[in-house]
Amino acid sequence: MKNEETEIKHRKKRKVKNNVKSKTLKNKKERHKDKLLHKKKELPLAERRRRRKRARKRVVFLERLSVACFIAAFLGGAGYFVWNIPSLKLTRQLDAGKEYTQKEAYDAAIKAYENALEIDSASVEAYRCMAGAYLGMEDENHAKQILFDGWQSTQDEGLLKYYCTVLLNEAVAEINDDRVNWDTIQKIEDVLSQNMLDEEAMEVMETACSRLKGQIESSGDLDFSSYIQMANQLSEFYASTGLEGMKKVVSEFGWLSLEEMELPMEYVDDYLNILENANSLTEMPERSDMIACLHKVEEVQAQFADIFVQMDGGNYEAAKDFIVTDGFLQIRDAFINGTMEYWDGSTYIPVSREYVILKQKEGKCSFEFPDYDANEDTAGVLTVWGNAMTDNGVQRSSLTYEPAKDGEGYYPHTEYVISYMCSNVQRNNGYVSDMNYHFETRVHTEEGTSTTMIGDWGGPYQWQKTY
C-alpha cells in the first residue's frame, strides 16, 4: 500500500516536470517566431520582394537543371542503343563495303563484308557483295566459294543462280580462248546438277564437248586413257541426271572421226564399250561398223594368244599344230581369196600385241597390226602367210615369228618360219612328194643373212641345210 502511494507521487512529479519542459520549449519557439516577424517588419518592402524573387529563381533553376540532366541522360542512353542496333550496324558495314568497292579498295571492302556477316551470318547482300569484290579482283575461285557458301547458309536461290552464272561465264571464256579442258566440262556439269540455267548450260556443254573432242582428234599423240575416262564420266553424268540434252552429247563424244588412229590393245575393250553405249543412244552406221571391226580385233587376238605364249617361250614346235587348225586355215584362206572382213593385209600379214591401227574410209572401217619394223617396242610379232603358194597343187600353211628386239636397232634380227607343205621327202625306197613340216631360222646382221633350214622337221628323215 505504501509503495503504491509512493509510485503515484513520482508519476505526478514527472508529469509536472514534463509539462514545464513542454511549456518552456513552446515559449522558445514562439519567441523565435516573434523575433523573425519582428525582423521582417523591420525590413523594407522592396528588400523582402527582392529576396522572394531570388528564392524563386533558385527553385526554378534547380528544377530546370534537374530536367536537363534527365533529358541528357535519356538521350545519351537512347543514342547508344540506337547506334548499336544490329540492323543499323549491318547497314553501315554494307555501305562501307560498297564505297570501298567503288574505289576499288577490294581488301577493305571484303573486310567490311566479313564484318557484316559477323553481325548477320544470313545476309544475302553481304555474300553477294563480297563475291562481287572478289570478281573485281579477278579472283573467281574465292567468288565462287563465297557464293556457294552463301547459298548453303541461306538457301537463297539468287545466290545459287549467281554462282552458276559465274561458272558458266568461266566455261564460255575458256571456250572462246580455246582453253577447253575437262575442268570446263565439270563446271558445266556443276551448273546442270543444280537445275539452274539448264538451257544456257546445255548449249555451252554441247559446244565445250565438241571443242574438246576436236582437240583430242587433232592431237598428234592421242591420249586414249584420258579420252576413255572423259567419255565414261559423261555417260555416268547422263545416267545420273537423265537430262535429255546429255543424250546427244554422250552420243557425239562417243565417236572419234579419225581416218587412222593407233589404239593400244589395253584400251580396245574400253573403246568398244564407249562405242556400244553411244550407239545404244543414237545409232550411227559408221560407229556400228567400227564396233564390228573391234570385235574382229578381239577375235584375232584371242586366236593368237596361246601361240604367242608358246613362241615367246621358245617352244616353236607348238606352231606345228597351230598352223593346221581350222581357225588358222580360215584366216589364211580368207586373205588368199580376198574375203577377209575388216582385217587389212596382203601376202604377209603381221599380228602384234601392242596396238592396233584403226582406219575409217568412205564409211568403212578396217584394222591392221604394226609389223616388226614399225613397232620399236614390240614384244614379238607373228606373220601369217596369206599368199597363194602351192606345191603339187597343195597350198602351203606358213607362220613367221620374230621375237622382241634385242636393243634399239634392227640388227641383229632373227626370224623363225614354220611351214606345213608338200615337198620331196626321203622314204625307204627313195624320195616321194609328201606333206611335212619345215623349220627355217633366219639371222639378219649388217653383214647379211644366214639361213638354216630343217626339212621333214621331226620326221624320221629330217635333214638340215645352211646357206
Side-chain angles (χ1 to χ4, degrees), residues 83-353:
W83 180 261
N84 287 280
I85 291 176
S87 61
L88 296 180
K89 289 175 67 178
L90 176 65
T91 300
R92 286 197 301 276
Q93 293 297 332
L94 292 174
D95 290 343
K98 292 173 183 177
E99 185 175 349
Y100 285 130
T101 301
Q102 288 178 349
K103 296 177 181 178
E104 298 185 358
Y106 296 117
D107 289 334
I110 290 168
K111 180 61 178 176
Y113 296 134
E114 288 175 346
N115 292 338
L117 288 173
E118 288 180 3
I119 298 169
D120 181 4
S121 62
S123 174
V124 172
E125 188 173 4
Y127 282 114
R128 183 185 298 277
C129 292
M130 191 187 298
Y134 275 118
L135 289 174
M137 298 170 67
E138 297 183 356
D139 188 349
E140 288 83 2
N141 289 333
H142 273 99
K144 289 184 292 185
Q145 189 63 53
I146 289 297
L147 290 170
F148 190 76
D149 291 346
W151 170 66
Q152 287 190 317
S153 176
T154 66
Q155 292 299 300
D156 180 79
E157 290 201 355
L159 289 176
L160 180 59
K161 187 174 182 179
Y162 193 178
Y163 167 75
C164 292
T165 300
V166 173
L167 285 175
L168 276 187
N169 287 341
E170 282 188 7
V172 170
E174 290 167 5
I175 292 171
N176 292 337
D177 295 340
D178 289 328
R179 294 184 291 111
V180 178
N181 53 38
W182 185 245
D183 286 341
T184 308
I185 306 301
Q186 289 181 310
K187 290 171 185 175
I188 307 169
E189 284 185 351
D190 196 0
V191 175
L192 289 170
S193 297
Q194 305 300 338
N195 295 319
M196 280 283 176
L197 307 171
D198 287 350
E199 185 175 347
E200 297 89 339
M202 191 57 67
E203 183 178 351
V204 177
M205 175 67 86
E206 290 180 11
T207 303
C209 286
S210 177
R211 293 284 184 89
L212 185 58
K213 188 167 83 81
Q215 291 177 9
I216 293 171
E217 292 173 341
S218 61
S219 172
D221 185 14
L222 200 156
D223 185 356
F224 265 97
S225 176
S226 296
Y227 166 72
I228 289 169
Q229 184 179 8
M230 288 185 284
N232 286 335
Q233 288 182 0
L234 283 173
S235 181
E236 290 170 6
F237 182 72
Y238 167 61
S240 65
T241 61
L243 292 170
E244 185 64 23
M246 286 302 302
K247 181 177 179 180
K248 178 182 178 183
V249 171
V250 172
S251 176
E252 292 184 352
F253 201 83
W255 172 246
L256 295 174
S257 55
L258 294 171
E259 289 187 359
E260 185 173 308
M261 59 181 172
E262 296 179 358
L263 175 63
M265 290 304 304
E266 60 188 293
Y267 297 126
V268 167
D269 193 52
D270 291 321
Y271 187 43
L272 183 55
N273 288 337
I274 289 171
L275 294 175
E276 289 177 336
N277 178 62
N279 222 38
S280 68
L281 301 177
T282 305
E283 189 170 355
M284 186 190 325
E286 297 92 336
R287 184 158 52 205
S288 299
D289 204 46
M290 179 58 76
I291 290 171
C293 181
L294 287 174
H295 278 300
K296 186 69 175 182
V297 170
E298 291 189 326
E299 178 188 322
V300 171
Q301 287 291 314
Q303 182 81 33
F304 286 85
D306 183 64
I307 193 60
F308 261 121
V309 173
Q310 298 301 324
M311 301 295 268
D312 289 343
N315 182 19
Y316 304 121
E317 288 196 10
K320 289 181 178 179
D321 293 332
F322 180 74
I323 62 176
V324 295
T325 59
D326 290 341
F328 183 81
L329 294 178
Q330 288 174 4
I331 291 173
R332 180 202 69 182
D333 294 343
F335 278 112
I336 292 173
N337 300 324
T339 57
M340 174 60 71
E341 290 186 313
Y342 301 111
W343 190 2
D344 282 347
S346 60
T347 309
Y348 303 106
I349 303 96
V351 182
S352 54
R353 295 162 286 180

Side-chain angles (χ1 to χ4, degrees), residues 25-41:
L25 181 59
K26 183 177 180 180
N27 292 335
K28 285 183 179 181
K29 290 181 178 180
E30 289 177 352
R31 285 197 300 271
H32 180 68
K33 185 176 180 180
D34 291 342
K35 189 175 179 181
L36 290 174
L37 290 172
H38 179 70
K39 285 183 178 181
K40 288 181 180 179
K41 288 179 180 179

